[in-house]
Amino acid sequence: MAVETKAVTVPELALADTDINWDRLDKTRFHIIGAILFTAQSALLHPTSVVKTRMQVAGSGFSHMGGISVFRHILKSDGIPGIFRGFGTSAVGSLPGRVLALTSLEVSKDMMLKYTEDLDMPEATRIGMANAVAGMFSNLVSCGYYVPLDVICQRLMVQGLPGTTSCNRPFDVMHKVIKAEGLRGLYRGFGLTAVTQSPASALWWGAYGSAQHIIWSLGYTDDAAKKPSHMEMVTVQAAAGMMAGACASVITTPIDTVKTRLQVMDNYGVGRPSVLKTAKALLKEDGWRGFYRGFGPRFLNMSLYGTTMIVTYELIKRLSVRRE
């Protein structure tokens, strides 16, 4: 008796699957998968953040060393735990913030796309504008949560360096900062972060959304016989993410150097550290070149982050599409 077998075919991707909107997602699956994959991504990139932060601190002895030399020094003196200082706090603390950031990003993007669908403008411009507004809004919303977490993590990363307060664990950092400056101390650099990173986030997401739409429209349409493969999707998204991250690192490194100093240093003389006082001290030490301390690790971090983040993010969305 012959047994009939049916050929199993994998359905080709629709062009719409290159940009999955909020209303198509299973929200619970989206946040659970996102928490797992983004934590793994953060673990891979955390050492570059530790190296960058140590290079940016005055009196650390690392400011004039190359990134690889600093990495080797930390590995030699502190071992593997040294290059992962602050990771536990960052990983656990980021979970609620990530839910807040991803939800605000997707909801605001979806709203913008709906409100602008009747406007007379090129589709790439409309998508770019929606992504830009969503990126800025998400950054502003999440700053209130992430800045205190950033202060705590960075202080853990620079323990033992001159000009920093000795702390043992995350709650010890919080206790000492609040005791010295009140809750305000946990928000050092908040204004600088919000004012600079929100436009940068808008630029990043806007450029990414437009570029991806333009690239796909060159070779594909929704009714075309040929659809983009998973590999093509990943390649386009990774390239767009890497370019966006690399450009952002060039623009934002000077601000990041000032912000890092402001958040971890406690001995800038009389009074509470300020943006102006921190910038003047940096300019006096190294001139304009000092603002690019840690540029190599930051460039690597943001390029890799741009690539891995967007590929991971788009993968999470594809895995979280609600089953009909």
Side-chain angles (χ1 to χ4, degrees):
M1 183 176 180
V3 178
E4 293 184 1
T5 59
K6 292 183 178 179
V8 178
T9 59
V10 179
E12 290 183 318
L13 295 165
L15 187 60
D17 287 329
T18 64
D19 191 15
I20 301 167
N21 292 327
W22 181 249
D23 57 357
R24 296 179 58 197
L25 297 175
D26 180 320
K27 312 306 187 288
T28 301
R29 194 187 312 155
F30 175 67
H31 288 305
I32 291 174
I33 296 174
I36 295 170
L37 293 185
F38 275 129
T39 299
Q41 181 218 13
S42 297
L44 292 174
L45 298 178
H46 191 78
T48 62
S49 183
V50 173
V51 171
K52 181 269 303 181
T53 300
R54 290 204 158 207
M55 290 176 71
Q56 290 175 334
V57 175
S60 64
F62 299 131
S63 57
H64 298 291
M65 295 170 61
I68 295 176
S69 299
V70 175
F71 178 80
R72 287 175 178 169
H73 184 278
I74 297 172
L75 204 57
K76 184 178 179 180
S77 59
D78 297 327
I80 297 295
I83 61 173
F84 282 96
R85 276 189 178 178
F87 174 69
T89 303
S90 176
V92 175
S94 292
L95 294 177
R98 196 168 286 129
V99 171
L100 182 67
L102 294 181
T103 300
S104 59
L105 176 72
E106 286 298 325
V107 170
S108 56
K109 183 176 77 170
D110 198 46
M111 290 176 62
M112 280 298 296
L113 286 171
K114 288 177 181 176
Y115 288 146
T116 59
E117 61 185 355
D118 295 327
L119 295 180
D120 184 19
M121 64 172 64
E123 188 65 9
T125 302
R126 189 175 78 89
I127 292 174
M129 186 172 69
N131 275 270
V133 171
M136 177 176 284
F137 179 74
S138 175
N139 189 268
L140 286 171
V141 169
S142 58
C143 268
Y145 180 87
Y146 275 113
V147 169
L149 181 65
D150 201 29
V151 170
I152 293 169
C153 292
Q154 289 189 332
R155 282 178 173 254
L156 290 173
M157 289 178 193
V158 299
Q159 284 302 291
L161 300 184
T164 61
T165 302
S166 177
C167 303
N168 295 319
R169 296 187 180 279
F171 288 107
D172 187 32
V173 175
M174 287 181 62
H175 174 73
K176 289 181 177 177
V177 170
I178 292 174
K179 184 179 179 181
E181 301 182 55
L183 285 174
R184 185 184 180 190
L186 291 175
Y187 281 89
R188 276 194 192 179
F190 175 81
L192 193 63
T193 301
V195 169
T196 57
Q197 289 194 5
S198 295
S201 179
L203 178 64
W204 196 100
W205 281 102
Y208 171 75
S210 294
Q212 187 182 203
H213 180 80
I214 290 170
I215 291 171
W216 290 131
S217 65
L218 293 176
Y220 299 98
T221 59
D222 279 322
D223 56 353
K226 183 184 178 184
K227 303 295 182 183
S229 67
H230 282 289
M231 183 56 67
E232 287 174 318
M233 289 172 67
V234 169
T235 301
V236 169
Q237 289 162 354
M242 182 173 65
M243 288 186 289
C247 292
S249 70
V250 175
I251 297 168
T252 61
T253 292
I255 298 165
D256 182 71
T257 302
V258 174
K259 178 181 72 74
T260 299
R261 285 275 196 105
L262 187 63
Q263 290 177 334
V264 303
M265 299 296 288
D266 292 315
N267 66 342
Y268 274 132
V270 180
R272 186 176 185 268
S274 66
V275 173
L276 185 59
K277 190 185 295 184
T278 305
K280 283 182 177 179
L282 192 59
L283 192 61
K284 184 178 179 180
E285 289 169 18
D286 267 340
W288 292 106
R289 183 181 178 186
F291 287 93
Y292 277 88
R293 281 184 180 177
F295 174 70
R298 180 169 169 77
F299 182 87
L300 179 64
N301 179 284
M302 292 194 70
S303 299
L304 291 177
Y305 176 79
T307 303
T308 58
M309 184 278 289
I310 205 63
V311 170
T312 302
Y313 183 62
E314 296 287 1
L315 174 61
I316 291 167
K317 289 171 71 175
R318 288 198 291 276
L319 291 174
S320 304
V321 172
R322 191 170 51 245
R323 296 184 178 89
E324 301 297 339

